[in-house]
Amino acid sequence: MGEQEGNDDVVGSSGRVSDDHLAVEIPDTAHQISHDSWFQVGFVLTTGINSAYVLGYSGTVMVPLGWFGGVVGLVLATAISLYANSLVAKLHEFGGKRHIRYRDLAGFIYGKRAYSLTWGLQYVNLFMINVGYIILAGSSLKAIYVLFRDDNLMKLPYFIVIAGFACALFALAVPHLSALRIWLAFSTFFSLVYIIVGFALSFKDGIEAPPRDYNIPGSKSAKIFTTIGAAANLVFAFNTGMLPEIQATVRKPVVGNMMKALYFQFTVGVFPMYAITFVGYWAYGSSTSTYLLNSVNGPIWLKTFANISAFLQTVIALHIFASPMYEYLDTKYGIKGSALALRNLGFRILVRGGYLALITFVSALLPFLGDFMSLTGAVSTFPLTFILANHMYLVAKKNKLTSLQKSWHWLNVIFFGCMSIAAAVSALKLIADHSNTYHVFADL
């Protein structure tokens, strides 16, 4: 629904001007801001949406939802995600100042308690996204291994550790988000490789294969939980939970340029994801793997190239989603200046290395990718991207919205609140079920 624009006063939930934001101390940043073009920011967003996670959507979205639910769900998730992200983007300069972190924006609108709560939610969101990236990177390395050897000596947890070490090396070399630059071009190339190879080999297999089974697997009760979990996967696919941090890097005018980047993400950026998701499910039906390259048949060298590309793109994508934590730590401890300065390098080795070591440990302990996607969508993507975005806009623009517009935003808050609770219960049940089926540090 369209919203009325006007001067941005600082408005509390009662409709009065609020001074709660004055109690929140917002630190400066040690990282670069207002440096990147909207096109570069659009590629950052597209890198996230077409990361190696797309190799899992045929199995984690389409299999539980089927053709009708999967196709309609992906299209609806695209539309509502663009809408919710645009609300956050339009609040970037609310109250006459830039809000370069999600928690800064929430703190400015609601006060100190919301600042801390939002930071906690965002930390959980990014931590779990990065757990998934490490699992993906480890899975791609294991997929390469089994192409050449069938002795099963190297288990998935070993490859997850190797992946974590590679991500740590990259974190040491790239100090902040704007420094990615040429790496975004590499990321796009790697994405195109595994998407084109996965698409082509799946299409070939689909033409040659007998009729597939597209029935949704599981008992009636199991289908309820997997359907809810797949709904969480849908919103997970399109949302970062760190839009203000990405918007902080864009040049002025920040709202206009960010909207261009979002339109790029949700038009050009979604087509590769749609293509490989739908073709993968068409080719293998309900037996589609949660890592599509495990399902495809083709030349070993081509599958190896695709898996290497998936691994390298995952290393780059993880850095994007770890950057808010890096920015927080660098700012807190005054890490500025040359990235190669001894103090700065030592700090990154110790702190970023420790952070990634913890993520790697959790990834190896519970390597259930689809379940972590569902849990991330439930406990953080729904609240950050849909509930908080709508309520923040409602509070910030309260005096400028019609009754119908206010009702629309409240409907979104209530609906996505219920979805968040249901999806969290579903994801926790699925993780518990898989933990009973597989031991910790499972070789999946």
Side-chain angles (χ1 to χ4, degrees), residues 323-379:
S323 62
M325 177 56 69
Y326 298 160
E327 187 274 335
Y328 167 75
L329 293 168
D330 289 351
T331 299
K332 182 177 177 64
Y333 293 101
I335 304 301
K336 297 182 179 180
S338 173
L340 298 177
L342 188 60
R343 176 176 180 267
N344 295 351
L345 190 59
F347 180 85
R348 291 205 302 277
I349 291 173
L350 180 64
V351 175
R352 295 188 182 188
Y355 175 69
L356 289 168
L358 178 60
I359 290 174
T360 301
F361 174 77
V362 174
S363 303
L365 184 72
L366 298 169
F368 312 126
L369 180 62
D371 299 344
F372 267 104
M373 289 166 59
S374 300
L375 188 61
T376 304
V379 304

Side-chain angles (χ1 to χ4, degrees), residues 86-301:
S86 70
L87 295 181
V88 177
K90 290 174 182 177
L91 293 176
H92 192 77
E93 293 181 308
F94 173 62
K97 62 176 293 186
R98 291 191 70 173
H99 306 284
I100 64 172
R101 307 174 187 91
Y102 215 127
R103 61 189 183 277
D104 296 354
L105 177 60
F108 189 83
I109 292 175
Y110 300 116
K112 191 171 184 179
R113 189 171 297 175
Y115 176 92
S116 300
L117 178 61
T118 303
W119 178 218
L121 276 174
Q122 190 181 36
Y123 175 84
V124 170
N125 178 65
L126 298 175
F127 184 89
M128 290 195 296
I129 287 174
N130 289 329
V131 165
Y133 274 126
I134 296 288
I135 296 172
L136 274 171
S139 297
S140 63
L141 290 178
K142 184 186 175 185
I144 296 169
Y145 178 81
V146 299
L147 287 174
F148 296 93
R149 300 186 63 169
D150 58 0
D151 53 22
N152 205 32
L153 290 176
M154 288 286 287
K155 310 294 185 182
L156 178 60
Y158 304 157
F159 292 109
I160 285 175
V161 171
I162 295 171
F165 181 73
C167 290
L169 291 178
F170 191 78
L172 300 181
V174 182
H176 48 72
L177 198 56
S178 290
L180 280 171
R181 293 196 186 103
I182 189 63
W183 292 108
L184 292 174
F186 282 116
S187 175
T188 302
F189 170 75
F190 295 142
S191 296
L192 288 174
V193 168
Y194 60 70
I195 287 174
I196 291 173
V197 170
F199 179 92
L201 295 182
S202 296
F203 188 75
K204 178 184 71 69
D205 288 346
I207 291 175
E208 297 174 352
R212 275 79 67 195
D213 177 14
Y214 295 111
N215 292 319
I216 298 173
S219 63
K220 287 186 178 180
S221 60
K223 287 179 183 178
I224 294 173
F225 288 103
T226 56
T227 299
I228 295 172
N233 291 342
L234 283 170
V235 298
F236 171 87
F238 296 100
N239 298 285
T240 63
M242 51 175 283
L243 193 78
E245 286 82 356
I246 295 175
Q247 190 171 1
T249 67
V250 77
R251 298 170 191 156
K252 295 181 179 181
V254 293
V255 174
N257 280 335
M258 193 64 194
M259 291 305 300
K260 291 178 183 178
L262 286 172
Y263 292 140
F264 180 84
Q265 176 194 11
F266 285 100
T267 53
V268 176
V270 299
F271 281 111
M273 187 198 74
Y274 280 2
I276 195 167
T277 299
F278 295 148
V279 168
Y281 183 61
W282 167 77
Y284 309 107
S286 59
S287 64
T288 309
S289 170
T290 56
Y291 182 67
L292 185 62
L293 295 181
N294 286 337
S295 295
V296 301
N297 298 291
I300 289 178
W301 70 268

Side-chain angles (χ1 to χ4, degrees), residues 80-81 84 235 239 381-391 413 416:
I80 63 174
S81 296
V235 298
N239 298 285
T381 306
F382 274 128
L384 283 173
T385 304
F386 298 102
I387 301 172
L388 193 58
N390 276 278
H391 195 265
V413 170
F416 288 113

